[in-house]
Amino acid sequence: MRTKNLLLIFLLLFSGLNLRVFSQAPGGTWVVPETIKGKVSPFKFTPDIVKQGETLYQRNCKACHGDPGQNNFAKLVPEPGDPAGAKFQKQKDGEIFFKITEGKTPMPSFKSILTEPDRWSVVAYVRSFNKSYVQPVPGQGGAVATKEVKLEMSYDSTKRRVTVLCSEVTKENQLKPLESAGIQLLLVRYFGNMTLSEPKLTDNSGRVRFAVPAGIPGDAAGMITLIAKVNDGSGLLGDAETTLKATAGVPIHPVALNAQRAMWNTRDKAPIWLTLVFSVSLVSVWGIIFYILFAIGRIRKA
């Protein structure tokens, strides 16, 4: 009796584990908290924001979702879907934003790759394919930037430190240092921008400083591209940003894929063993053919 009870408990636990794994499997449904579904963008989806979202989409999303409206998304399980499709557009802004942020296999999470404003700009680009879409009233922060901001960035190689100066452009077209502005530092990578630091506030001189980590892979000269951008979460300061190329990385000399012998390379650079196997096979086949012809000739003479 005791053995049967233990067996029953084991089966129940095993079944519960299977259900849990199944619910988190790639083919499972998205679970978006109700509090998140109603979340709205903190700023208005202007043409500039949509254009920015298009750039980010092309760089980070197109490989799987394809061109919006073309139904040429990647054949994955589950299907990524066409952002311009009706099923995709039925979602609320908060749902799309949540999925971009958190991800779910096979879709990666972009919360450490794209800033919050960047993720909202991707939502804006997706909504641009829905003619009947009406944006909800933007959240706290307003729809339009109230200040024009300019950023300047410099790099101190001895201290491995980036200094960003944030200035407000006054009505007289003068630059006035802006205090308590949120600035974020990003690193340009092949598949998107990498966050080097969360937003920091400028001091009373309008400056903020970031330490650049050591060991960052650069180009052959050790050059990397840094981006400083406004990220205060309100949209009041717009989306000003500036870039700077600095010799702060480790020199990397990439080897071209076709530089070495490999199976996917050209015929001249195929692996030696593959060339030998092909040559021996070819000679053997022709040898067999000639032998058969020779044997047929002998049979006819006999």
Side-chain angles (χ1 to χ4, degrees), residues 17-31 78 104-106:
L17 180 62
N18 281 344
L19 288 173
R20 183 179 178 185
V21 171
F22 177 77
S23 67
Q24 295 177 352
T29 57
W30 285 87
V31 179
K104 180 178 177 64
T105 306

Side-chain angles (χ1 to χ4, degrees), residues 94-111:
E95 292 181 80
I96 301 176
F97 179 83
F98 175 84
K99 293 177 180 180
I100 296 172
T101 302
E102 300 300 332
K104 180 178 177 64
T105 306
M107 178 177 171
S109 166
F110 286 94
K111 61 183 174 184

Side-chain angles (χ1 to χ4, degrees), residues 33 41 56 71 80 87 93 122 144 174 186 195 236 266 268 296:
S41 171
L56 295 171
N71 245 0
K87 183 178 179 181
D93 290 353
V122 174
V144 184
Q174 300 294 319
L186 305 167
T195 301
L236 294 175
T266 59
D268 296 336
I296 292 174

Side-chain angles (χ1 to χ4, degrees), residues 75 83 139:
K75 304 304 180 184

